[in-house]
Amino acid sequence: MKIFVDTPEKIAAAVAQEYVALLAEKPDAVLGFATGSTPLGLYAELARLCAEKRISFRDVSTFNLDEYLGLDGTHDQSYRYFMNKNLFEKIDIDIARTRVPSGVNTDPETAARYDKDIESAGGIELQLLGLGNNGHIGFNEPGTPFGSVTHIVELTDSTRQANKRFFNSIDEVPTHSVTMGIKTVMNARRIILIALGKGKADIVKKFIQGDVTPEVPASVLQLHPFAEVYLDFEAASLL
Ligand code: F6R
């Protein structure tokens, strides 16, 4: 893993430039996107660069990591809604080529078909990840087997607590989600994980310097040949 440490603003700018370089070389790349607070700076920067015609997503296809079970794309806390508002509506992408796992009418079989769709599209060139406080990537909670493909998961209490800030109350936070599996993520040819803030410092130390174990899902990235980790000074403070 390559580690970069900088301010959140410089990280957003630097990672955005990685997308500029990638799409200059491969305009029809397949990109894997994430939701959450972490990528918001990056998405704003990509939207700015696109408005200035310094990057184009015209021929890009995308696959998002995950979605809450039970929320359809019009729900303002669904990840489809998040992506439309924070990125897709602000760039020149063809919305028909953007995929987010469906939160409705999803069973284990339809979930696993997402992997086949990614494969048919040619595989993910660059997967973006955030990091859960418990080390999750996507919604792969501690204990998820490294061989897992896209599947339905029960969210841990800690993840529901962490995400309740977006809902009116904890009762409204869905109990399940559908997420790419660890194997789905690891199949991406390149991975960029961003972690920001003091709250992530403990788990950052664990996944980078600790053992590779399903108990710390992000630790699997130690085994990926092209994984890059961008940390702000607070998230990197215990390394
Ligand atoms: C989001 C996702 C999650 C988040 C993680 C960090 O699609 O899969 O793994 O990346 O929970 O969330 P934030 O960025 O809100 O701290």
Side-chain angles (χ1 to χ4, degrees), residues 18-33 55-63 92-94 97-98 117-126 189:
E18 294 298 320
Y19 284 86
V20 170
L22 172 63
L23 296 187
E25 195 170 306
K26 206 169 190 296
D28 60 350
V30 178
L31 303 177
F33 280 130
I55 190 170
S56 173
F57 294 84
R58 219 175 24 238
D59 299 320
V60 159
S61 309
T62 71
F63 287 88
D92 60 349
I93 202 163
D94 175 359
R97 274 203 291 264
T98 67
D117 293 346
I118 293 172
E119 216 180 293
S120 306
I124 292 173
E125 197 63 42
L126 172 56
R189 290 189 273 285

Side-chain angles (χ1 to χ4, degrees), residues 34-39 65-66 79 130-132 136-139 165 200:
T35 61
S37 312
T38 307
L65 277 170
D66 43 20
Y79 286 172
L131 176 70
H136 75 209
I137 48 175
F139 272 132
R165 65 192 195 275
K200 300 280 168 77

Side-chain angles (χ1 to χ4, degrees), residues 6-126:
D6 216 321
T7 62
E9 295 72 26
K10 291 219 174 110
I11 289 172
V15 176
Q17 286 308 315
E18 294 298 320
Y19 284 86
V20 170
L22 172 63
L23 296 187
E25 195 170 306
K26 206 169 190 296
D28 60 350
V30 178
L31 303 177
F33 280 130
T35 61
S37 312
T38 307
L40 286 173
L42 168 64
Y43 291 165
E45 180 66 3
L46 290 176
R48 192 182 69 80
L49 292 171
C50 194
E52 290 177 2
K53 306 249 178 288
R54 285 152 70 190
I55 190 170
S56 173
F57 294 84
R58 219 175 24 238
D59 299 320
V60 159
S61 309
T62 71
F63 287 88
N64 256 78
L65 277 170
D66 43 20
E67 179 60 282
Y68 285 120
L69 215 63
L71 302 193
D72 77 18
T74 61
H75 191 290
D76 66 1
Q77 290 309 328
S78 72
Y79 286 172
R80 160 54 76 183
Y81 188 92
F82 175 102
M83 289 308 298
N84 288 353
K85 290 287 158 218
N86 291 300
L87 186 63
F88 298 151
E89 287 173 6
K90 298 183 170 171
I91 57 177
D92 60 349
I93 202 163
D94 175 359
I95 200 82
R97 274 203 291 264
T98 67
R99 291 282 308 271
V100 179
S102 174
V104 291
N105 298 326
T106 297
D107 58 26
E109 255 169 57
T110 48
R113 223 175 288 145
Y114 200 63
D115 282 60
K116 296 266 178 293
D117 293 346
I118 293 172
E119 216 180 293
S120 306
I124 292 173
E125 197 63 42
L126 172 56

Side-chain angles (χ1 to χ4, degrees), residues 137-159:
I137 48 175
F139 272 132
N140 293 287
E141 302 286 30
T144 307
F146 284 170
S148 53
V149 296
T150 305
H151 62 291
I152 293 170
V153 289
E154 182 168 5
L155 300 176
T156 60
D157 279 346
S158 83
T159 295

Side-chain angles (χ1 to χ4, degrees), residues 164-181:
K164 82 165 184 235
R165 65 192 195 275
F166 302 113
F167 294 82
N168 292 324
S169 74
I170 184 79
D171 298 333
E172 284 184 20
V173 185
T175 55
H176 291 75
S177 75
V178 50
T179 180
M180 283 186 195

